[in-house]
Amino acid sequence: MSETAGVREVKSAARTVELLELLAARGDRPARLQELADELGVPRSSMYALLQTLISRGWVRTDVTGSLYGIGIHALLTGTSYLDSDPRVRVVRPYLDEASDALGETIHMGRLDGRDVAYLATRESHEYLRTISRVGRRLPAHAGALGKALLAEHPDTELPEGPYEELTPNTRTTRETLTADLAETRARGYSVDREEGVPGIIGFGFALRYDSPTQDAISCSVPVARLTPEHEGRIVAVMREIRGKIEATVPAAGGAAVHWR
């Protein structure tokens, strides 16, 4: 059993979290009881009891037959509360609007979460609208502008050995190619994602260095067909300026705010 700061892990709580994370990761693919029991390695009867408890609390939902399970609405309510209560997100949001207005492109804010980046805020381009919002979703850090900007702020020794998940033919899937790319990112001061996470999309990522270790970043995403050298130069200039404004504002805005770890 794992321990944190000398405190033994509560097995029932850990199992509940694992179940919710599993259901969330499945997205629009509901799961059957046996699938969940097998995936988490628990008895079918124990899984059924846990599911029924979570259904009654709104954390899990089931279909009319009672045989399919998915993430419940209380997960959304809790996630929204996280965004609303985070002082960094509140400060950054107006600057995302400013960048979006200046560039006419999609602007993101993300936070490093293990080997992934979680999207915390997005301002969509009026020219290119996603059918599904990225807020609350995750992308492997090695495969996007946000993640690579953040990985470049950390030592390469923290990178896993690989191979890494391939999202597109352009994804860097080896430790060697990723470390080379991160070296270029450090040299230029921002990351570039050329269709590595999403086909047809190029991203430019800028780490926000108001915390140590660096956890947050902003990015600009542009369809390949609309990116010219002149537009790329303007994107980099505007995003650098926006990053500077955010980094200058956040410490003053923090005040007596809680600093979460």
Side-chain angles (χ1 to χ4, degrees), residues 14-254:
R15 180 175 294 172
T16 300
V17 172
E18 290 169 358
L19 172 59
L20 293 173
E21 290 180 342
L22 175 58
L23 291 173
R26 291 180 64 92
D28 61 354
R29 297 179 296 111
R32 296 187 179 276
L33 173 61
Q34 193 61 55
E35 290 180 276
L36 297 172
D38 291 344
E39 182 73 20
L40 297 183
V42 301
R44 181 185 174 96
S45 58
S46 299
M47 177 57 65
Y48 180 77
L50 178 55
L51 285 166
Q52 295 309 307
T53 299
L54 293 173
I55 288 170
S56 69
R57 300 297 183 97
W59 284 90
V60 171
R61 58 180 172 173
T62 187
D63 69 332
V64 294
T65 69
S67 61
L68 295 175
Y69 302 93
I71 198 73
I73 195 169
H74 277 217
L76 169 63
L77 300 178
T78 301
T80 301
S81 176
Y82 176 89
L83 294 176
D84 290 343
S85 66
D86 190 282
R88 303 308 197 215
V89 176
R90 287 201 304 271
V91 170
V92 170
R93 277 173 175 159
Y95 293 104
L96 301 187
D97 293 333
E98 183 178 339
S100 181
D101 291 342
L103 296 171
E105 304 295 353
T106 299
I107 312 297
H108 300 291
M109 176 191 183
R111 180 164 294 162
L112 195 62
D113 181 26
R115 298 183 182 180
D116 298 332
V117 166
Y119 285 77
L120 303 182
T122 291
R123 297 296 179 264
E124 296 286 359
S125 167
H126 295 301
E127 301 293 331
Y128 174 74
L129 293 175
R130 298 179 188 274
T131 56
I132 300 176
S133 172
R134 278 207 170 176
V135 174
R137 298 178 184 275
R138 298 156 67 94
L139 186 72
H142 70 275
L146 287 169
K148 293 199 297 178
L150 289 167
L151 291 179
E153 295 293 311
H154 296 252
D156 289 342
T157 53
E158 295 181 5
L159 295 173
E161 286 301 319
Y164 309 140
E165 181 182 1
E166 181 178 316
L167 274 64
T168 77
N170 292 339
T171 305
R172 288 169 169 78
T173 58
T174 68
R175 198 172 190 273
E176 291 72 23
T177 56
L178 181 59
T179 53
D181 186 71
L182 296 180
E184 294 179 7
T185 295
R186 296 182 187 107
R188 75 167 77 92
Y190 61 92
S191 66
V192 182
D193 156 24
R194 298 192 184 277
E195 300 184 80
E196 296 162 42
V198 180
I201 299 296
I202 296 179
F204 303 88
F206 299 76
L208 299 175
R209 299 162 179 148
Y210 46 54
D211 284 325
S212 182
T214 305
Q215 297 295 314
D216 295 348
I218 56 174
S219 71
C220 176
S221 297
V222 192
V224 173
R226 206 164 57 246
L227 186 65
T228 63
E230 294 75 19
H231 192 32
E232 179 170 337
R234 175 160 170 73
I235 287 170
V236 171
V238 168
M239 293 299 288
R240 275 179 166 155
E241 180 181 359
I242 293 296
R243 171 169 64 181
K245 290 181 178 180
I246 293 171
E247 290 177 343
T249 302
V250 166

